[in-house]
Amino acid sequence: QKEVEQNSGPLSVPEGAIASLNCTYSDRGSQSFFWYRQYSGKSPELIMFIYSNGDKEDGRFTAQLNKASQYVSLLIRDSQPSDSATYLCAVPDRGSTLGRLYFGRGTQLTVWP
Amino acid sequence: DAGVTQSPTHLIKTRGQQVTLRCSPKSGHDTVSWYQQALGQGPQFIFQYYEEEERQRGNFPDRFSGHQFPNYSSELNVNALLLGDSALYLCASSLGASPEAFFGQGTRLTVV
């Protein structure tokens, strides 16, 4: 059973600040990592994925991966109130031939104006 | 391009009853996974269907069963409902072995 750990928060930042969301995982052999955003009462929406060590940037979002430390993070620059949501970290099951995902509990982010 | 669609969106059932939830995958996708998300928790994997067969199953009892049809759509059936089955049920579709999954809007099941 894989473990995916996230600080459940809540994390509260002012508008325009950088929000930093963290995730650790137990399987050292994991190769890919996904970040989903989930608004209250809605379904998860894929916003970022990362396969390689280092940083991956997409607009205001940056995913950072450190496989040696088994740590993946999501940075949101210039945070907006519309970014207020729960952010889920997900790791695929490396042992299966199909893409089962293991999710963390999610970190609730609030961006206040 | 139609995304993943689920029906119904909300459902209220009585303890002991049976329920069927439905999912149509994103166009071009052939793999359907079902997840249960309790309040304040991350989604938990129930099972996955590919080529009309259950390929992988999470830690859920046999009361949870499913089916995939030739057009790749899928059903999730839950028998003998318990209060603890109240949750958001999410369908995710993907293509083959790709872990990149897209979720439907979910079905909110309430068991009373």
Side-chain angles (χ1 to χ4, degrees):
Chain A
Q1 179 76 15
K2 289 192 176 191
E3 296 291 331
V4 180
E5 298 289 337
Q6 291 183 257
N7 185 339
S8 61
L11 175 65
S12 182
V13 301
E15 184 174 357
I18 296 175
S20 177
L21 307 161
N22 305 318
C23 173
T24 59
Y25 56 94
S26 61
D27 184 354
R28 182 171 292 278
S30 293
Q31 298 295 317
S32 56
F33 306 86
F34 295 80
W35 283 100
Y36 284 83
R37 176 176 62 198
Q38 187 173 26
Y39 292 112
S40 180
K42 303 297 184 182
S43 63
E45 172 193 9
L46 181 63
I47 56 171
M48 287 282 287
F49 59 88
I50 185 167
Y51 295 95
S52 304
N53 265 338
D55 295 0
K56 178 182 178 182
E57 188 174 315
D58 184 1
R60 296 186 296 110
F61 297 94
T62 298
Q64 299 176 319
L65 175 59
N66 184 326
K67 291 186 179 180
S69 299
Q70 296 176 238
Y71 177 94
V72 58
S73 64
L74 179 70
L75 301 179
I76 305 175
R77 291 184 304 281
D78 188 24
S79 295
Q80 301 297 309
S82 59
D83 295 325
S84 298
T86 295
Y87 290 80
L88 297 161
C89 174
V91 180
D93 184 1
R94 193 166 57 95
S96 72
T97 56
L98 295 174
R100 166 181 182 170
L101 292 171
Y102 289 89
F103 284 87
R105 293 183 58 182
T107 298
Q108 185 180 346
L109 171 67
T110 299
V111 181
W112 45 276
Chain B
D1 178 23
V4 182
T5 58
Q6 291 185 244
S7 64
T9 55
H10 294 84
L11 203 52
I12 300 175
K13 288 288 190 179
T14 303
R15 203 170 26 176
Q17 285 188 315
Q18 178 265 345
V19 68
T20 297
L21 311 181
R22 296 176 175 82
C23 172
S24 292
K26 181 179 170 68
S27 178
H29 284 183
D30 56 7
T31 303
V32 173
S33 302
W34 287 93
Y35 291 82
Q36 180 196 67
Q37 187 176 25
L39 201 61
Q41 302 294 319
Q44 296 295 311
F45 178 80
I46 303 175
F47 43 52
Q48 187 174 69
Y49 279 85
Y50 174 69
E51 293 185 337
E52 301 180 50
E53 290 188 10
E54 182 183 296
R55 297 292 181 152
Q56 197 173 10
R57 189 178 183 92
N59 189 26
F60 279 81
D62 292 343
R63 298 186 298 108
F64 290 77
S65 64
H67 189 76
Q68 185 179 36
F69 299 94
N71 66 353
Y72 307 120
S73 67
S74 177
E75 289 182 348
L76 163 65
N77 301 291
V78 187
N79 294 322
L81 284 166
L82 304 174
L83 296 180
D85 295 330
S86 297
L88 180 66
Y89 287 84
L90 295 163
C91 170
S93 79
S94 55
L95 179 60
S98 171
E100 194 172 343
F102 296 85
F103 285 85
Q105 79 276 22
T107 294
R108 174 72 62 186
L109 172 65
T110 302
V111 182
V112 298

